Amino acid sequence: MLHACVYATILLGFFGIIFKENLVMKIIAMDVMSTGAIALFVLVAARTGVRTPIVGILPEEGYADPVPQAVILTAIVIGFSIQALMLVGVMKLARDNPTLETRAIEEEYRS
């Protein structure tokens, strides 16, 4: 059931990117899709019976691999940076155009 929710989140974001015409809504849809992809990786990597890899007096068996966790944290930071950069681009575009609808912007630049 949890997998279905994660896949639904990814698809919801994907269709939002395709079918929404407002640029801000496209950025939000991309955020939803990114969140779904990260949740999918966390869901796949989650296992029971493993411990966090902290050096201590615990037995050296059953440690979780820290590399996927580091990759997911990096993906979150990169995704946030990309969204911030896209919002700045939309703000600059909004200065010159009265609308943020993609069709209206394309028609204005073609004419």
Side-chain angles (χ1 to χ4, degrees):
M1 180 65 182
L2 198 54
H3 282 84
C5 290
V6 169
Y7 287 125
T9 304
I10 293 172
L11 283 177
L12 187 70
F14 179 72
F15 288 126
I17 290 173
I18 291 175
F19 294 119
K20 290 292 181 183
E21 297 216 359
N22 190 318
L23 290 175
V24 175
M25 294 302 290
K26 283 184 181 274
I27 292 172
I28 291 172
M30 192 184 94
D31 183 42
V32 169
M33 191 170 86
S34 171
T35 301
I38 289 170
L40 179 65
F41 280 111
V42 169
L43 194 62
V44 168
R47 292 182 295 167
T48 58
V50 293
R51 299 179 183 163
T52 54
I54 298 174
V55 177
I57 56 174
L58 297 174
E60 296 184 11
E61 296 177 351
Y63 286 118
D65 188 10
V67 174
Q69 298 167 9
V71 170
I72 292 301
L73 285 175
T74 304
I76 291 170
V77 170
I78 290 172
F80 179 74
S81 302
I82 289 173
Q83 288 170 7
L85 187 64
M86 288 191 321
L87 285 173
V88 168
V90 167
M91 285 175 48
K92 288 195 173 258
L93 194 62
R95 287 184 190 163
D96 300 334
N97 297 306
T99 181
L100 291 177
E101 300 294 322
T102 55
R103 284 187 200 211
I105 294 171
E106 287 175 2
E107 288 175 5
E108 184 177 321
Y109 280 110
R110 287 184 186 158
S111 59

